[in-house]
Amino acid sequence: MDYIDYYKTLDINKSATEAEIKKAYRKAARKYHPDLNPNDKEAEKKFKEINEANEVLSNPENRKKYDKYGKDWKHADEFEKAGYDPNQQRSRQQSSSDFSGGDFSGFPGGDFSDFFNSMYGSRGGGRTQSKYRGQDFNAELELDLASAYTTHKRNLSVNGKNIRITIPAGVENGQIIKISGHGGAGANGGPNGDLYLTFIISNNPDFKREGNNLYADVDIDLYTAILGGEIYVNTFDGKVKIKVAEETQTGTKVKLKGKGFPIYKKDNQFGDLYITYNIKTPTKLSQKEKELFQELSKIRNHE
């Protein structure tokens, strides 16, 4: 297995923070995502490398092992049980009955795979090869707010394979869902890794979402604001009729209980919808309307 510089793959330094790793991964994943590069084998290969690099470097424990053992970071536990430390600058002389010798102290010059194989007999020692779980993959899926409102199915292309998943209503921006068995293939008969899917929920021009609640601004005319009345407002379930109280002021807020966003994996449970009124001043008044407003002004000023 060739040594892969995961830091170079994500175009970051070895001192990069977790936030810098996440930012670099998202930028690279968007650039090489298969949906944006259909039938591009190089982009598909690059996308796989990016996911592999992120899986290792975004996990502090995996990153520590990778920094120490390089391409054989998955075998770190076995190395350490055997007392092998690549950073120790000392000679390791062993008899031929143990392993074939050699200098393993100069990573990446030393061959960790040879060391591991000689320990566990995969090169003729007679022992059964250990099974290893495949790598986990990370990917992002963008949804609009309306799509996140309802439970629906979506087809995805993961590592060259098409899978169909069910997205529960109420999924949140930044939420991560694990899809078992759709990561990298296991080694020596080991289980596949998992796919960790991060949801990116785009903004909606009509509604602002905060948790399970929705917020919207609604215009009402001056006459309805003064005299009261009924208006229709939009929700994700269609239009609903609400009453406007007399002498309503701009900025007045009303709550529509249960008309917010569905609560994740809780059937028939919803947040609330908060409406903020914005009173629209009439324009292009006729002469008669102006006279009536002048009359109202006189009455108001003499009270």
Side-chain angles (χ1 to χ4, degrees):
M1 178 179 179
D2 294 334
Y3 172 67
I4 301 175
D5 189 337
Y6 291 141
Y7 292 100
K8 185 176 180 180
T9 298
L10 294 181
D11 195 23
I12 54 176
N13 296 322
K14 292 193 71 173
S15 60
T17 64
E18 290 185 20
E20 289 171 336
I21 292 171
K22 184 176 182 180
K23 181 179 180 181
Y25 164 70
R26 287 187 171 183
K27 178 180 178 181
R30 287 194 182 98
K31 181 178 179 180
Y32 293 101
H33 196 283
D35 290 346
L36 301 179
N37 301 274
N39 302 318
D40 188 334
K41 295 298 182 182
E42 284 300 315
E44 181 179 343
K45 178 182 177 182
K46 187 69 175 178
F47 186 70
K48 292 177 183 177
E49 293 175 352
I50 290 165
N51 276 284
E52 180 179 332
N54 181 64
E55 165 57 25
V56 176
L57 300 184
S58 64
N59 183 306
E61 187 64 27
N62 288 347
R63 182 181 182 183
K64 181 180 178 181
K65 293 176 181 178
Y66 171 75
D67 287 344
K68 188 173 182 179
Y69 293 103
K71 65 185 176 67
D72 290 300
W73 66 272
K74 285 187 176 182
H75 307 319
D77 293 341
E78 285 80 4
F79 288 143
E80 290 173 3
K81 286 179 182 178
Y84 173 67
D85 185 350
N87 295 316
Q88 290 180 346
Q89 299 299 319
R90 69 174 186 269
S91 174
R92 293 185 174 275
Q93 299 295 330
Q94 300 289 343
S95 67
S96 59
S97 62
D98 292 327
F99 28 79
S100 58
D103 180 9
F104 300 95
S105 61
F107 172 74
D111 192 334
F112 298 155
S113 291
D114 288 347
F115 171 80
F116 180 79
N117 290 337
S118 63
M119 286 173 57
Y120 289 91
S122 59
R123 295 199 304 163
R127 294 188 181 183
T128 302
Q129 288 185 327
S130 298
K131 296 179 180 181
Y132 293 99
R133 181 178 178 277
Q135 286 189 343
D136 293 333
F137 288 164
N138 292 274
E140 292 183 348
L141 179 61
E142 295 188 4
L143 298 176
D144 57 35
L145 200 60
S147 296
Y149 185 83
T150 59
T151 297
H152 66 284
K153 296 185 181 294
R154 184 69 65 96
N155 292 320
L156 301 177
S157 177
V158 180
N159 200 26
K161 297 180 180 179
N162 292 323
I163 63 173
R164 188 170 177 82
I165 65 171
T166 298
I167 301 174
V171 66
E172 295 192 28
N173 183 49
Q175 183 172 344
I176 299 174
I177 293 179
K178 182 178 79 171
I179 305 174
S180 299
H182 286 284
N188 301 329
N192 291 345
D194 300 322
L195 169 65
Y196 289 87
L197 196 60
T198 301
F199 289 92
I200 307 299
I201 312 297
S202 59
N203 294 325
N204 185 282
D206 298 321
F207 299 97
K208 178 183 178 182
R209 180 187 181 188
E210 292 184 5
N212 298 317
N213 295 325
L214 292 173
Y215 297 81
D217 295 329
V218 173
D219 293 337
I220 58 174
D221 61 71
L222 178 65
Y223 312 105
T224 302
I226 294 173
L227 302 174
E230 294 179 339
I231 63 171
Y232 287 88
V233 297
N234 292 320
T235 74
F236 276 112
D237 284 332
K239 291 183 178 293
V240 298
K241 182 169 64 175
I242 60 175
K243 290 184 177 181
V244 179
E246 294 180 3
E247 301 178 3
T248 290
Q249 303 296 308
T250 288
T252 297
K253 290 181 172 60
V254 296
K255 180 175 76 172
L256 303 184
K257 187 174 179 58
K259 292 298 181 181
F261 222 70
I263 300 176
Y264 182 71
K265 286 193 173 180
K266 291 187 177 181
D267 293 340
N268 300 316
Q269 294 188 40
F270 296 80
D272 301 320
L273 170 60
Y274 291 86
I275 299 294
T276 300
Y277 289 134
N278 178 39
I279 300 173
K280 301 293 289 184
T281 302
T283 59
K284 298 181 180 179
L285 298 176
S286 67
Q287 186 60 36
K288 180 63 175 179
E289 287 174 317
K290 291 179 180 178
E291 291 173 356
L292 290 172
F293 273 110
Q294 288 171 352
E295 185 65 25
L296 287 171
S297 177
K298 290 177 182 178
I299 294 172
R300 189 73 176 178
N301 291 333
H302 283 85
E303 287 183 354

